[in-house]
């Protein structure tokens, strides 16, 4: 069939083509091409105003208003460029019957000044409540001092707030207005105090709270499958029955307590932070008996402000209580705590190491005979991948024994990666330890390597 | 999903009996192409024709030329075969799609029209997206030039437009 190019395409097809465009600049250009193209604009489902859309010329608010008005069936609206929040209610009211996805960057300087002046930090967000069809809401750079008056956003499934200043009661109230969320993400949010969320349909949750105040989280989410939290000192989770992936981190400060009833189907567990209460760590490890992928990266423990090293953890007991463990990542201080205090019998090894703090010299370490007589039935049957970070040469021989045991007792081991970090070469013990590790890696080449 | 007609039994036999039956498609320039029923029904249009039982002597496609029909058949055969979920397969399919639409404009529009007529969603989306990608980032004049589009605005209307969308042209 002969085709005279674009002009010969039926209108429905042109509409399909133009519906793939959402960048506001492209849409504006298309409206100017011909009448037929302009008539397709009301059918476009999505509009996206990038950050720099109106940099050179002004008139952002008018242009946004015009385009939103023209797009009668608008389903997705994304505005990253600065706009006046006073205009938002009108735009949303125009499209309240069709809008499903809304993403706004609300941190324009003008708004902040106005908000600071009037004391109402979230008034401009109230108008979002009028969009009853909304399914996904993403807000950037927000300040929320009181819960917005949204009524009940029954259809909302996804809520994401990034880079915000939130009052704890305000954010609890906002989430309370969205009872049917399946996905909740509050990232890079400055918030202190106590937040509480009850979400019966929640499946995925990511909370990243920054700032210096202390923070408590209570989450009731019986369907949650994936939970990642950072920045809370106290955590209570009601409903771990479906939880498969759990990450708890605290980049500064301490984790004092974690309350979870049980984690019967947990596959991945990741504990990170500067300081955790040992009670919290051991409780979680107990709950996570079925875990397959475990990451432990905590520097210190201790229930109060004094930082303490970890109590010893028996290697055999640890792996016997986590029989499905396939991937294991352990760093620094926690690795140092792994030992074989309860299970090693008749270990015969002779070593001579004289190490004097004052003189910094020592005789070489001689491990003449190293016989491990672990219970011969002991086997780490599922372990396939190990990543270990070693930071200090203290307790060198215990660490080497642990490495040896891991390799010897894991029939399925595919790879062990040893990361050596922060062992500066001003200390000869570090060098010696490093050499021993290299020897160990060499002996087990193929399975062990150093990074 | 068998069509019910007056001779219900006869249709059932035809549709249900031979799943791997070959269908003949006839292009506008009278060339014949064979394809399996399974691949053929990726086209909603052809599927309806089969259900209405008018395919005995081949399916006539007066709107589709042989060159384009051959390409459409290639697309469908490739996509019918790819049923696994493996990442490798998906990558292969993606690169097939990418090179499939690297054709000149007239051919691309012919593919779009064929996909539209035959109602093959995947191919229609793919080809329309390709054209959309060609529009992105261009100014009004550039778009008109690329696609040879006639400007049907009156001079007065033309003046209005740039003023309204001035920001898009900076």
């Amino acid at each position: 069939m002969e085709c005279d190019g674009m002009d010969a395409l039926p209108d429905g097809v042109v509409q399909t083509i133009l519906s793939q465009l959402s960048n506001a600049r492209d849409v504006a250009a298309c409206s100017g091409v011909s009448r037929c193209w302009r008539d397709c604009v009301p059918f476009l489902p999505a509009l996206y105003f990038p950050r720099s859309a109106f940099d050179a010329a002004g008139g952002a608010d008018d242009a946004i208003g015009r385009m939103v008005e023209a797009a009668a069936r608008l389903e997705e609206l994304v505005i990253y460029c600065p706009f006046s929040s006073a205009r938002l209610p009108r735009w949303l009211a125009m499209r309240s019957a069709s809008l499903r996805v809304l993403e706004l960057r609300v941190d324009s300087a003008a708004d902040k000044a106005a908000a600071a002046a009037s004391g109402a930090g979230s008034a401009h967000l109230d108008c979002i409540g009028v969009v009853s069809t909304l399914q996904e809401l993403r807000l950037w750079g927000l300040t929320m001092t009181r819960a917005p008056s949204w009524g009940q956003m029954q259809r909302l499934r996804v809520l994401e707030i990034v880079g915000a200043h939130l009052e704890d009661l305000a954010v609890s109230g906002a989430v309370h207005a969205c009872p049917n969320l399946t996905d909740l993400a509050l990232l890079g949010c400055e918030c202190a105090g106590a937040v509480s969320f009850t979400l019966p349909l929640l499946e995925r949750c990511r909370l990243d709270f920054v700032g210096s105040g202390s923070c408590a989280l209570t989450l009731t989410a019986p369907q949650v499958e994936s939970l990642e939290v950072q920045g809370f000192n106290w955590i209570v989770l009601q409903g771990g029955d479906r939880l498969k992936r759990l990450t708890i981190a605290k980049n500064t400060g301490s984790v004092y307590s974690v309350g979870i009833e049980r984690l019967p189907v947990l596959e991945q567990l990741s504990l990170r932070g500067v300081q955790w209460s040992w009670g919290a760590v051991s409780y979680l490890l107990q709950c996570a008996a079925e875990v397959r992928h475990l990451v432990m990266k905590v520097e210190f423990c201790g229930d109060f402000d004094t930082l303490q090293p970890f109590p010893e953890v028996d290697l055999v007991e640890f792996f016997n209580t986590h029989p499905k463990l396939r991937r294991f990542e352990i760093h620094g201080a926690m690795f140092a705590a792994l030992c074989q205090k309860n299970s090693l019998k008749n270990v015969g090894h002779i070593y001579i190491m004289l190490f004097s703090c004052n003189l910094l010299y020592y005789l070489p370490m001689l491990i003449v005979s190293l016989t491990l007589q672990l219970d011969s039935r002991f086997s780490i049957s599922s372990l396939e991948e190990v990543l270990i970070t070693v930071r200090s040469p203290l307790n060198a021989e215990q660490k080497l024994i642990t490495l040896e045991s891991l390799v010897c007792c894991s029939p399925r081991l595919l790879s062990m990666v040893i990361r050596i970090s922060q062992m500066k070469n001003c200390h000869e013990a570090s060098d010696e330890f490093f050499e021993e590790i290299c020897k160990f890696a060499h002996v087990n080449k193929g399975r062990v390597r150093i990074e | 999903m068998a069509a019910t007609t007056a001779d219900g039994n006869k249709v059932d036999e035809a549709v249900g009996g031979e799943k791997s039956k070959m269908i003949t498609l006839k292009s506008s320039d009278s060339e014949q192409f064979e394809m399996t029923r399974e691949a053929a029904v990726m086209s909603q249009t052809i599927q309806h024709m089969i259900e209405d039982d008018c395919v005995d002597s081949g399916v006539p496609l007066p709107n589709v030329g042989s060159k384009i029909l051959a390409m459409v058949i290639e697309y469908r055969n490739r996509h019918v075969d790819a049923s696994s979920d493996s990442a490798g397969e998906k990558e292969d399919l993606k690169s097939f799609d990418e090179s499939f639409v690297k054709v000149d404009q007239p051919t691309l529009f012919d593919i779009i029209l064929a996909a539209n007529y035959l109602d093959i969603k995947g191919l229609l989306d793919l080809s329309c997206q390709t054209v959309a990608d060609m529009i992105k980032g261009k100014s009004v004049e550039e778009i008109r030039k690329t696609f040879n589009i006639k400007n049907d605005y009156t001079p007065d209307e033309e003046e209005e437009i740039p003023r309204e969308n001035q920001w898009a042209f900076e």
Side-chain angles (χ1 to χ4, degrees):
Chain A
M1 178 197 173
E2 287 289 318
C3 179
D4 298 321
M6 190 76 98
D7 279 336
L9 292 180
D11 287 352
V13 173
V14 175
Q15 211 175 290
T16 306
I17 294 174
L18 297 185
S19 295
Q20 316 283 353
L21 300 169
S22 60
N23 189 310
R25 215 171 250 260
D26 292 332
V27 172
C30 287
S31 332
V33 167
S34 74
R35 278 203 190 134
C36 162
W37 282 39
R38 181 199 59 194
D39 293 341
C40 287
V41 170
F43 299 95
L44 294 189
L47 273 180
Y48 161 54
F49 294 88
R51 189 99 181 114
S52 56
F54 299 97
D55 270 354
D61 294 329
D62 288 336
I64 297 175
R66 253 196 329 270
M67 295 187 79
V68 170
E69 190 168 9
R73 303 215 190 140
L74 196 63
E75 291 174 21
E76 285 183 38
L77 177 59
V78 178
I79 308 181
Y80 283 164
C81 64
F83 64 95
S84 310
S85 50
R87 307 282 289 260
L88 189 61
R90 181 154 182 273
W91 300 338
L92 294 183
M94 278 195 285
R95 295 291 147 250
S96 60
S98 60
L99 210 56
R100 280 186 307 106
V101 175
L102 179 62
E103 195 171 327
L104 300 173
R105 207 176 164 133
V106 285
D107 62 348
S108 73
D111 283 341
K112 274 198 178 131
S118 69
S122 2
H124 54 293
L125 296 178
D126 290 345
C127 60
I128 294 178
V130 83
V131 190
S132 54
T133 48
L134 203 60
Q135 291 173 13
E136 295 179 26
L137 176 62
R138 294 179 179 86
L139 301 169
W140 297 68
L142 178 57
T143 301
M144 204 191 270
T145 50
R146 61 150 176 84
S149 332
W150 286 343
Q152 287 274 288
M153 307 271 283
Q154 301 280 359
R155 297 254 184 104
L156 200 68
R157 294 284 174 273
V158 176
L159 177 62
E160 265 180 44
I161 300 180
V162 181
H165 289 258
L166 308 169
E167 297 271 319
D168 54 356
L169 291 176
V171 67
S172 300
V175 172
H176 186 70
C178 315
N180 298 322
L181 288 181
T182 56
D183 292 73
L184 174 64
L186 305 173
L187 307 176
C189 290
E190 278 198 43
C191 181
V195 293
S196 165
F197 307 131
T198 301
L199 294 167
L201 301 179
L202 192 68
E203 292 170 18
R204 289 159 292 273
C205 184
R206 286 165 61 204
L207 306 174
D208 174 41
F209 278 30
V210 301
S212 47
S214 47
C215 225
L217 168 70
T218 305
L219 177 64
T220 306
Q223 308 279 344
V224 68
E225 289 179 14
S226 166
L227 177 61
E228 220 177 283
V229 303
Q230 191 289 124
F232 296 94
N233 307 83
W234 302 271
I235 297 164
V236 172
L237 171 67
Q238 277 156 9
D241 285 334
R242 295 247 182 128
L243 197 57
K244 290 203 187 133
R245 290 172 295 280
L246 175 60
T247 300
I248 303 181
K250 186 99 174 64
N251 298 343
T252 56
S254 321
V255 176
Y256 297 128
S257 79
V258 179
I260 299 180
E261 263 189 47
R262 53 177 179 270
L263 299 167
V265 298
L266 193 71
E267 292 173 10
Q268 282 183 34
L269 177 62
S270 177
L271 312 179
R272 297 166 190 264
V274 175
Q275 180 185 21
W276 275 61
S277 136
W278 176 245
V281 176
S282 56
Y283 179 66
L284 277 171
L285 288 178
Q286 248 178 44
C287 289
E290 306 284 310
V291 74
R292 292 184 206 169
H293 182 182
L294 177 61
V295 175
M296 307 219 288
K297 197 172 180 179
V298 181
E299 314 278 331
F300 300 101
C301 72
D303 288 320
F304 306 103
D305 284 338
T306 33
L307 304 172
Q308 309 210 336
F310 284 95
E312 291 180 328
V313 172
D314 183 70
L315 185 87
V316 174
E317 265 174 46
F318 177 77
F319 284 103
N320 278 344
T321 45
H322 301 93
K324 292 197 180 159
L325 197 54
R326 260 214 233 142
R327 289 179 60 188
F328 186 37
E329 229 181 276
I330 185 165
H331 299 261
M334 292 192 83
F335 172 62
L338 274 180
C339 70
Q340 286 145 46
K341 56 175 181 169
N342 294 335
S343 38
L344 221 47
K345 307 167 213 191
N346 300 332
V347 175
H349 61 260
I350 303 171
Y351 70 92
I352 302 172
M353 179 163 124
L354 272 178
F355 167 48
S356 160
C357 291
N358 296 325
L359 299 175
L360 288 177
Y361 80 94
Y362 65 96
L363 294 176
M365 206 158 67
L366 297 172
I367 300 183
V368 171
S369 89
L370 183 69
T371 15
L372 289 171
Q373 292 196 11
L374 295 170
D375 187 339
S376 55
R377 285 165 300 166
F378 173 59
S379 154
I380 310 176
S381 49
S382 304
L383 195 62
E384 290 175 10
E385 285 175 51
V386 180
L387 171 62
I388 300 176
T389 306
V390 181
R391 270 211 284 264
S392 102
L394 291 174
N395 287 323
E397 92 280 8
Q398 177 181 304
K399 291 177 183 171
L400 283 166
I401 293 174
T402 306
L403 292 176
E404 290 275 355
S405 310
L406 285 173
V407 173
C408 293
C409 303
S410 309
R412 281 222 174 96
L413 189 66
L414 294 173
S415 114
M416 172 188 282
V417 177
I418 305 174
R419 275 201 197 135
I420 317 229
S421 77
Q422 292 178 16
M423 283 209 303
K424 301 289 178 205
N425 294 340
C426 44
H427 210 282
E428 288 187 66
S430 309
D431 289 346
E432 184 64 23
F433 185 36
F434 183 67
E435 257 182 58
E436 288 299 321
I437 294 184
C438 289
K439 271 188 221 157
F440 167 73
H442 185 77
V443 162
N444 290 294
K445 207 159 39 169
R447 288 200 287 176
V448 179
R449 75 170 201 275
I450 298 181
E451 272 178 17
Chain B
M1 227 177 61
T4 45
T5 65
D7 12 309
N9 293 332
K10 197 161 142 215
V11 174
D12 278 350
E13 207 179 332
V15 170
E18 299 166 44
K19 287 274 188 281
S20 57
K21 186 173 158 184
M22 299 299 281
I23 306 266
T24 309
L25 304 174
K26 295 202 279 218
S27 72
S28 62
D29 42 353
S30 302
E31 271 202 48
Q32 300 210 357
F33 296 86
E34 289 243 319
M35 62 187 317
T36 63
R37 177 193 291 272
E38 200 192 344
V41 300
M42 268 177 88
S43 153
Q44 291 288 319
T45 308
I46 294 181
Q47 180 164 22
H48 291 142
M49 284 179 171
I50 291 175
E51 285 171 1
D52 291 342
D53 198 25
C54 30
V55 300
D56 286 341
S57 56
V59 179
L61 300 171
N63 293 348
V64 188
S66 53
K67 173 185 164 205
I68 299 300
L69 187 54
M71 291 182 77
V72 169
I73 289 173
E74 189 196 346
Y75 175 88
R76 276 191 289 181
N77 285 339
R78 194 67 171 76
H79 278 253
V80 144
D81 288 340
S83 51
S84 91
D85 277 332
S86 81
E89 277 263 12
K90 285 196 171 137
E91 276 296 317
D92 286 342
L93 208 55
K94 201 169 145 218
S95 30
F96 169 79
D97 282 353
E98 274 171 19
S99 34
F100 187 79
V101 287
K102 282 199 176 118
V103 292
D104 59 27
Q105 247 188 64
T107 311
L108 187 57
F109 286 128
D110 283 340
I111 291 176
I112 291 180
L113 287 169
N116 187 45
Y117 171 68
L118 294 170
D119 198 1
I120 305 173
K121 188 172 186 315
L123 184 55
L124 187 61
D125 286 344
L126 172 66
S127 42
C128 285
Q129 180 68 58
T130 308
V131 177
D133 290 342
M134 289 160 73
I135 295 175
K136 283 178 188 170
K138 291 197 164 77
S139 72
V140 174
E141 266 313 309
E142 285 168 350
I143 296 175
R144 283 187 191 144
K145 213 164 123 205
T146 307
F147 298 107
N148 208 16
I149 298 174
K150 213 175 67 161
N151 177 5
D152 57 359
Y153 279 120
T154 68
D156 292 331
E157 284 172 334
E158 272 245 47
E159 265 193 42
E160 279 283 310
I161 301 160
R163 205 156 39 83
E164 270 198 355
N165 290 327
Q166 190 68 46
W167 60 275
F169 300 90
E170 293 290 319

